Amino acid sequence: MSTTRIPQQRTIPTTNVLGVEVSAVSLEFATDEILHWIEEDRQHSGLWSGHCGLTTGHYVAVTGVHGIIESQDDPHFKRILNASGMVVPDGMPLVWLSRLAGHRSVTRVYGPDLTLSLSQALGARQKSAFYYGGVPGVADQLARILETRYPGLKTAGTFSPPFRELTSQEEDGVVALINHSGAHVVWVGLSTPKQERWMARLRHRLKVPVLIGVGAAFDFHTGRVRQAHPWVQRSGFEWLFRLCMEPRRLAKRYLRNNPLFIYLLLCQQLKLRDFRAT
């Protein structure tokens, strides 16, 4: 077990899962920590101007087995995960591993649940959110749904990027759009690892306290993709439900990643390979 230090001497316990430091947190803890970052940013808001190196711009990686496996063949992506403010356990296997490591209070921090939990808290504080991702119209629809559900929550803006890399000019325009929006949070729905790369690349250019990559939450909350029942989510078999819903898109991911994850965990437990966090 180890810890990751973040600003103002606050520490978050972590569990090393195949070299990724997964934050040992609950949904409530993660929500409170993000609110702390927003308040910390407000107290230091005068420092933003002319200080591009300010480190209060956090990003949160909402990660399950897929993200952990993606990092095994990509050291740069592993560094992106480990440089985040939190790598929250989006899958039950990561929750179970954290509990086995001694962190008994860990719960699943499911991207769609974090979206609702934090949106409720933002609404109560009259804060605003920017929605980046989804096919055209989805970000706008999600913003309307959350504004209706949580009075007081404000929409700072939305943007649905094309299914290609943005040009440098387009990216500059997105940065300007978000910075002029006054958002306290940017929700990023691009899927892993694209969303984590985007957040890590732009975090120092964006005047926003926190960026959160929540993947399919945009589609779940707008009804474009059906969610598994909560008991299925808690059982650890949500992957099977999603595979049945989207076999063509997800078959290769799950049928490769799940056996590989188990094999690599055995290697870590038996110390057959070095899974040092980098």
Side-chain angles (χ1 to χ4, degrees), residues 162-178:
F163 289 100
R164 58 170 173 78
E165 290 295 322
L166 297 181
T167 66
S168 59
Q169 185 176 7
E170 288 172 331
E171 191 168 89
D172 289 345
V174 169
V175 169
L177 179 66
I178 294 174

Side-chain angles (χ1 to χ4, degrees), residues 89-101:
D90 186 40
M92 288 307 299
L94 303 191
V95 173
W96 296 330
L97 289 168
S98 290
R99 290 175 181 173
L100 285 172

Side-chain angles (χ1 to χ4, degrees), residues 17-20 62-81 94 191-197 249-250 252-254 256-258 260-261 264:
V17 180
L18 305 184
V20 176
V62 181
T63 302
V65 169
H66 174 53
I68 301 295
I69 293 299
E70 286 285 332
S71 74
Q72 300 309 297
D73 296 324
D74 189 340
H76 178 62
F77 181 55
K78 184 181 290 186
R79 287 193 291 271
I80 286 174
L81 292 179
L94 303 191
S191 79
T192 296
K194 186 176 181 180
Q195 62 193 13
E196 288 81 12
R197 297 185 191 282
R249 187 174 74 87
L250 298 176
K252 183 177 179 180
R253 176 196 298 185
Y254 289 132
R256 171 186 179 269
N257 287 0
N258 291 4
L260 182 58
F261 182 71
L264 292 176

